Every structure is written in structure tokens, then in C-alpha cells.
Amino acid sequence: MDTGELTEREVATRLSRTENTAPGGDRLTYSHWKREDPGCRVITAILNICFSQQRISEACKSSRTVLIPKAGDPNDITNWRSITLYRTIYKLYTGCLSSRLGNWIVDNEVVCPA
């Protein structure tokens, strides 16, 4: 697996695949990152610090779970679904690492293609 630094292209590719979902505790959405750092230079630098130090801040790893009502009686617990909100930068980081791992698995034929 590629253990070198993440590239701006990798991060930009991952960011381009995102939809503007609900933000985490920092309230930054993917559209914020796209607007403020279109070349993904800042994001990539931050992610590479995490990657080289093999550490993620506790704030990034923390999440908030929110209950969303479905149709039906709100007093019935089965009529609710939960979503977990993480910071977008954390989701970008884990997405980049996931892509690398997925590419390594395919390239090294670790999993049967079936």
C-alpha cells in the first residue's frame, strides 16, 4: 500500500465525490472546503500531518448522533432513524485512506474479484 504523503490530487478527487451533507461539530461543510481551498493545499497539508504523526485529534474523532423522525407515530421508537455527524475533514481523511486501501487490495488481488 502507498504509504507516502497524500497528494492534493487524491484529496481533491475525494472531495469532488462528496455531497454537501450535514456538518460535524466544527460546522464546516464540504462546500466550505471546496470554496475556501479549491486546490486542496491546506486540507492536504493538514491530512499529511495526521498521516505522518499517525494521530487524529480527539475533536475530529468525536461525533454527534441525531435522531431523525420517519413517517408514523413519533412515540414509536421504530419510527426514528439515527445519523452520526463527524467533521468533514475527518471523513475526507478516512475516505482517502480507504481509497488507498481499496486500490491496494485490487492491485494485489487480495480479495477474489467475484
Side-chain angles (χ1 to χ4, degrees):
M1 185 166 85
D2 182 5
T3 57
E5 289 192 338
L6 296 169
T7 66
E8 291 170 7
R9 183 176 180 169
E10 278 180 280
V11 176
T13 297
R14 173 56 62 178
L15 184 58
S16 72
R17 294 180 184 159
T18 62
E19 293 183 21
N20 209 30
T21 59
D26 60 3
R27 309 192 43 78
L28 294 174
T29 63
Y30 292 120
S31 63
H32 285 112
W33 291 113
K34 290 174 183 177
R35 183 180 63 243
E36 300 302 326
D37 188 20
C40 293
R41 290 186 177 143
V42 173
I43 303 169
T44 303
I46 293 168
L47 298 183
N48 278 324
I49 290 168
C50 296
F51 193 59
S52 68
Q53 299 294 312
Q54 298 180 3
R55 297 183 68 115
I56 299 286
S57 75
E58 289 302 316
C60 279
K61 292 189 282 187
S62 68
S63 64
R64 184 170 59 122
T65 302
V66 178
L67 292 174
I68 306 291
K70 296 192 244 181
D73 180 7
N75 293 318
D76 180 356
I77 193 69
T78 62
N79 290 328
W80 292 81
R81 71 177 179 96
S82 63
I83 60 168
T84 304
L85 306 175
Y86 285 95
R87 293 174 188 231
T88 51
I89 195 160
Y90 179 70
K91 294 189 285 186
L92 285 171
Y93 180 72
T94 57
C96 288
L97 296 183
S98 177
S99 291
R100 280 192 173 187
L101 180 59
N103 291 338
W104 181 86
I105 287 170
V106 170
D107 293 347
N108 291 281
E109 300 176 356
V110 174
V111 177
C112 172

